[in-house]
Amino acid sequence: KHPKDSKTTMTDLVLPSETNPLNNLFGGELLARMDRAASIAARRHSRRIVVTASVNHVAFNRSIPVGSVVTVEASISRAFKSSMETYIDVWIEDRESGLRDKANEAIYTFVAVDDTGRPVRI
């Protein structure tokens, strides 16, 4: 399986209810968006139910203001017996030019499980 086969892209708008007092996206909201995109990529790779095992790395390099168009891209970077490492990039689209700038990145680990929650080979 190739990473391109599981690549997941999610684009959304930052709404006022998702921001802090500085009108920037809450960090927890961004973590949830990254978790959703990464879990889809892991499920596509394994064709199994997946659960988040760990958040190995998160870099909040740039704040994301209200009204921003945010794109989260996730793909599998490494796979093991039952776990998968997922690399995530977060992009902000400039409202005027349409150009994208990288705002954040993360690495999440997922484990494929059966219907009872026990790890299974992928």
Side-chain angles (χ1 to χ4, degrees):
K1 298 176 186 175
H2 298 292
K4 64 180 170 70
D5 298 330
S6 62
K7 184 174 181 181
T8 300
T9 303
M10 297 175 64
T11 301
D12 203 358
L13 185 66
V14 176
L15 301 174
S17 64
E18 302 166 325
T19 62
N20 62 26
L22 297 174
N23 289 320
N24 293 316
L25 183 65
F26 279 119
E29 174 64 28
L30 181 58
L31 290 170
R33 291 181 186 200
M34 291 188 290
D35 194 33
R36 283 191 292 273
S39 70
I40 293 169
R43 185 167 184 135
R44 285 177 173 166
H45 182 81
S46 66
R47 294 293 171 204
R48 296 289 196 155
I49 297 168
V50 297
V51 295
T52 308
S54 67
V55 176
N56 305 348
H57 168 78
V58 177
F60 294 106
N61 298 322
R62 184 171 169 192
S63 57
I64 302 175
V66 67
S68 295
V69 173
V70 177
T71 300
V72 178
E73 296 176 345
S75 60
I76 302 302
S77 54
R78 296 190 298 171
F80 306 97
K81 289 181 183 178
S82 63
S83 64
M84 295 149 281
E85 181 182 83
T86 308
Y87 188 80
I88 306 154
D89 284 322
V90 179
W91 302 88
I92 303 174
E93 186 176 311
D94 184 88
R95 295 173 209 178
E96 295 178 11
S97 69
L99 296 175
R100 296 184 340 154
D101 288 320
K102 188 172 177 180
N104 301 292
E105 61 188 11
I107 300 171
Y108 284 34
T109 299
F110 288 84
V111 174
V113 297
D114 63 18
D115 291 336
T116 65
R118 292 196 174 120
V120 294
R121 291 185 70 86
I122 54 174

